[in-house]
Amino acid sequence: MPSVSVTASRDALAERLFQAAIATFDLYGVYLGDRLGLYRALATEGPSTAGELAEAARINRRYAREWLEQQAASGILAVENAEAGPDDRRFVLPAGHDEVLVDESSLSFGAPFAQFAMACARPIDEIVEAFRTGQGITLEGYGDDGRLGQARFTRPMFEKLLGSEWLPALPQLHERLMADPPARVADVACGCGWSSMSIARAYPTISVDGIDVDQASIEEARRNVAGSGVEDRVRFYHRDAADADFAERFDLVTIFEALHDMSRPVDVLRTIRRMLSDGGLVLIADERTEDSFTAPASDLERLYYGFSIMSCLASGMVGPGAAGTGTVMRAETLRRYATDAGFVQVEIAPIENEFWRFYLLVE
Ligand SMILES: C[S@@+](CC[C@H](N)C(=O)[O-])C[C@H]1O[C@@H](n2cnc3c(N)ncnc32)[C@H](O)[C@@H]1O
């Protein structure tokens, strides 16, 4: 007979996994609503029946009904007349929920969490195999949901905070970006380019080169910059930053949420050192991890470990001699990489953010 405390632990974990299954289906439902444009249709059309939603979003009416019922049952949507027949119920996107589900510019935009979660599960057979063999998986293996989920998650932070709060919080950097001759910035691992464009928008004379090893991200970045108003000062290059041999020199090099994904982070930092002009600075944002391993850990650390086992560790395991950093890159690890690459100083920058810690590397 298990003891009382063992029974309690057993029941608590069983209940937790039950709740986790429900939460997982919340994410699946949000993924479908986001990808099929169902939230957007509800936001545009207002309270809708299954038939109206099906028509507005061009999906099958029976599937529309099931999704609407699932969403209302889960409290993500509301229903105006639950007692009506299935075809006559009207479903509503509640005020507040519209911002989380539809407003791509909002810091509260939450749909990318569903997109990330789906992306992480997409190459599950390769992940299982990678655990056995130690091989890595590139971003490509996670499909469009990987790169677009990332871009849609970070875009609001870049557009709302990077140019107006983060960079101005660093006076030396801010002044250089405002000064003449116009500064040159390299945005390493720029993904779909929103950070590069946001920096250029905040400082009207500078030019920004975004580089990324993922071809599809660079193509997306080029589409995003076209017609953005900064296309004359922002260029995107498909390059591996570990091998990049830029002839140009840069006053600022940035790496946003990417160093921990790199298989050769020290080589990348070495390349970056060579890319710096005299007095040039490196700004890195990466996960706001605890200083040391703790268990049980905070929700944020749990989220990071989740990404790590499903995606980021595999990204950092590509090729011979891969660093295999994982999402939970602690400040101490970054310091070691920077020192190995020849930087003499690593400062924690005075920028507060829920998800990221900022580091300034000085030659
Ligand atoms: C988590 S995403 C971050 C993208 C973007 N900075 C953002 O914050 O949305 C990591 C990015 O690092 C890029 N990356 C990884 N290793 C790289 C390398 N060696 N050179 C250039 N980019 C690299 C990936 O292709 C991916 O776009």
Side-chain angles (χ1 to χ4, degrees):
M1 239 314 257
S3 70
V4 173
S5 73
V6 169
T7 310
S9 309
R10 178 199 66 193
D11 293 350
L13 181 58
E15 172 62 19
R16 176 174 154 185
L17 296 188
F18 173 71
Q19 294 297 335
I22 297 170
T24 303
F25 286 115
D26 278 355
L27 288 178
Y28 290 162
V30 169
Y31 180 88
L32 288 171
D34 179 44
R35 178 153 173 193
L36 291 165
L38 309 184
Y39 296 121
R40 190 160 294 285
L42 285 168
T44 312
E45 306 294 323
S48 303
T49 62
E52 288 163 351
L53 177 67
E55 194 170 321
R58 299 204 184 130
I59 63 166
N60 174 273
R61 176 190 283 244
R62 178 66 189 93
Y63 280 101
R65 191 183 113 199
E66 202 70 4
W67 179 81
L68 284 165
E69 290 179 6
Q70 182 262 358
Q71 291 286 293
S74 306
I76 295 174
L77 296 181
V79 55
E80 282 185 346
N81 50 345
E83 68 295 337
D87 292 331
D88 297 321
R89 290 185 196 120
R90 303 191 85 78
F91 296 85
V92 188
L93 189 54
H97 289 201
D98 51 347
E99 188 174 334
V100 176
L101 297 165
V102 179
D103 184 354
E104 307 238 355
S105 72
S106 169
L107 289 168
S108 302
F109 186 47
F113 285 118
Q115 198 168 12
F116 272 150
M118 192 61 82
C120 281
R122 232 173 237 289
I124 190 62
D125 293 337
E126 288 90 330
I127 295 169
V128 169
E129 197 53 18
F131 265 72
R132 296 201 173 103
T133 62
Q135 296 287 306
I137 305 173
T138 63
L139 187 60
E140 219 176 351
Y142 292 86
D144 285 347
D145 284 327
R147 70 179 61 84
L148 296 179
Q150 171 73 26
R152 293 169 84 213
F153 172 66
T154 51
R155 179 182 175 181
M157 291 200 288
F158 293 141
E159 293 191 337
K160 291 220 152 66
L161 304 173
L162 175 55
S164 58
E165 290 185 23
W166 295 349
L167 295 173
L170 308 169
Q172 189 190 350
L173 193 52
H174 179 63
E175 276 156 33
R176 178 63 196 96
L177 293 172
M178 300 285 278
D180 276 326
R184 298 208 53 200
V185 176
D187 187 18
V188 169
C190 62
C192 298
W194 298 110
S195 47
S196 317
M197 288 183 265
S198 295
I199 300 172
R201 213 166 267 127
Y203 298 96
T205 61
I206 66 165
S207 58
V208 184
D209 288 356
I211 71 165
D212 201 287
V213 75
D214 180 54
Q215 171 81 50
S217 293
I218 289 298
E219 284 165 12
E220 181 72 17
R222 287 178 180 149
R223 279 193 291 275
N224 290 334
V225 79
S228 67
V230 292
E231 61 269 32
D232 53 329
R233 294 184 292 116
V234 179
R235 284 175 303 267
F236 292 107
Y237 300 95
H238 175 223
R239 304 279 284 269
D240 182 342
D243 300 323
D245 188 17
F246 276 81
E248 302 95 317
R249 292 287 170 267
F250 296 89
D251 303 287
L252 169 65
V253 180
T254 55
I255 310 181
F256 294 107
E257 206 179 34
L259 192 68
H260 71 256
D261 287 304
M262 295 177 177
S263 290
R264 294 158 58 198
V266 175
D267 288 344
V268 170
L269 292 175
R270 265 196 209 105
T271 301
I272 285 174
R273 264 190 70 219
R274 287 196 298 273
M275 287 160 63
L276 289 178
S277 59
D278 278 352
L281 290 168
V282 181
L283 178 67
I284 298 178
D286 217 291
E287 315 305 29
R288 185 173 279 278
T289 54
E290 305 288 341
D291 286 338
S292 57
F293 175 74
T294 47
S298 67
D299 284 351
L300 194 57
E301 194 110 335
R302 286 175 58 202
L303 181 73
Y304 290 153
Y305 270 115
F307 280 126
S308 206
I309 58 170
M310 297 299 283
S311 161
C312 299
L313 178 60
S315 296
M317 295 282 278
V318 177
T325 308
T327 320
V328 193
M329 181 175 68
R330 306 202 187 279
E332 186 187 297
T333 306
L334 187 142
R335 280 182 209 285
R336 177 163 47 80
Y337 289 164
T339 309
D340 289 352
F343 286 95
V344 290
Q345 213 181 320
V346 177
E347 293 168 13
I348 306 287
I351 299 172
E352 285 306 316
N353 181 264
E354 189 184 351
F355 296 106
W356 293 347
R357 182 184 293 116
F358 290 77
Y359 304 86
L360 270 176
L361 273 50
V362 182
E363 269 232 272

